[in-house]
Amino acid sequence: SRPTSMNPYRGINYKDGIPESDLDHLLNWSRKSKYTHLDFSHNDISEDMLYKIALWLPMSNVSHLDLSNITSPSSAFTTGALVTFRDLLPGTKVKCLKLDDNQLTDIGLNYFIIKKATNLTQLSLKNNKITDLGIDILAKNLGKLEEIDLRGNDITSDGYYALSANI
């Protein structure tokens, strides 16, 4: 599979199609590159491949990572995958993380506390299954976030008030 777009100074976009068999090769190759943007959105990526991406991130120059709309036979964003990302994000250069359209729930957010992700300034969680309970979790663990996108979730005005009170 070929990337849908490449910019030698910014990144690689494999949106809508990268076979898992090619992902190992891509991660090994891009570890040596200066790409800063990586878009894996709209792909069928297993939990095992998410672990590999998370383990690879600290060795890369990636500052913008898009893992939106990841599809797999079972939800790839299991508790284990979220904990791995949470534990490894502090050692990365990732400033912008997109996890839109992944059916993330409040329980999942409880495992993905971003407080220690020192470089993360933008987080997009659009169109997931987050409620006011999840907002309470996020509000207490915002870290250095400057932007958070929560459109398309089941959040009431009380949830948004709790979030704004902690900014």
Coordinates of all heavy atoms in Angstrom, one line a residue, residues 29 37 39-40 42 46 70 78-79 143 161:
W29 N 11.2 2.1 9.4 CA 11.7 3.1 8.5 C 11.6 4.5 9.1 O 12.5 5.3 9.0 CB 11.0 3.0 7.2 CG 11.3 4.1 6.3 CD1 12.5 4.2 5.5 CD2 10.5 5.2 6.0 NE1 12.4 5.4 4.8 CE2 11.2 6.0 5.1 CE3 9.3 5.6 6.5 CZ2 10.7 7.2 4.7 CZ3 8.8 6.8 6.0 CH2 9.5 7.6 5.1
H37 N 4.3 14.3 11.4 CA 2.9 14.0 11.4 C 2.7 12.6 10.8 O 3.2 12.2 9.8 CB 2.2 15.0 10.4 CG 2.1 16.4 10.9 ND1 3.2 17.1 11.1 CD2 1.1 17.1 11.3 CE1 2.9 18.3 11.6 NE2 1.6 18.3 11.7
D39 N -0.6 9.9 10.2 CA -2.0 9.7 10.2 C -2.4 8.3 9.8 O -2.2 7.8 8.7 CB -2.6 10.6 9.1 CG -4.1 10.6 9.0 OD1 -4.7 9.7 9.6 OD2 -4.7 11.5 8.4
F40 N -2.9 7.5 10.8 CA -3.3 6.1 10.7 C -4.8 6.0 10.7 O -5.4 5.0 10.9 CB -2.7 5.2 11.8 CG -1.2 4.9 11.6 CD1 -0.3 5.3 12.6 CD2 -0.8 4.3 10.5 CE1 1.0 5.0 12.5 CE2 0.6 4.0 10.3 CZ 1.5 4.4 11.3
H42 N -8.8 5.8 10.0 CA -9.6 5.0 9.1 C -8.9 3.7 8.6 O -9.0 3.3 7.5 CB -10.0 5.8 7.9 CG -10.8 7.0 8.2 ND1 -12.2 7.0 8.4 CD2 -10.4 8.3 8.5 CE1 -12.6 8.2 8.8 NE2 -11.5 9.0 8.8
S46 N -5.0 -3.7 14.8 CA -5.3 -4.5 16.0 C -4.7 -3.9 17.2 O -3.8 -3.0 17.2 CB -4.7 -5.9 15.8 OG -3.3 -5.8 15.7
I70 N -10.3 4.0 14.2 CA -9.6 2.8 14.1 C -10.6 1.6 14.1 O -11.4 1.6 15.1 CB -8.5 2.6 15.2 CG1 -7.5 3.7 15.1 CG2 -7.9 1.2 15.1 CD1 -6.7 3.8 13.8
T78 N -8.4 -1.1 23.9 CA -8.8 -1.8 25.1 C -8.1 -1.1 26.3 O -7.2 -0.2 26.1 CB -8.3 -3.3 25.1 OG1 -6.9 -3.3 24.9 CG2 -9.0 -4.0 23.9
T79 N -8.3 -1.6 27.5 CA -7.7 -1.0 28.7 C -6.2 -1.1 28.5 O -5.5 -0.2 28.8 CB -8.2 -1.8 29.9 OG1 -9.6 -1.7 30.0 CG2 -7.5 -1.3 31.2
G143 N -3.4 18.3 32.6 CA -2.0 18.5 32.3 C -1.8 19.8 31.6 O -2.3 20.8 32.1
Y161 N -19.4 22.6 32.3 CA -19.1 23.5 33.3 C -18.0 23.0 34.2 O -17.1 23.7 34.6 CB -20.4 23.8 34.2 CG -20.1 24.7 35.4 CD1 -19.9 26.0 35.2 CD2 -19.9 24.1 36.6 CE1 -19.7 26.9 36.3 CE2 -19.6 25.0 37.7 CZ -19.5 26.3 37.5 OH -19.2 27.1 38.6

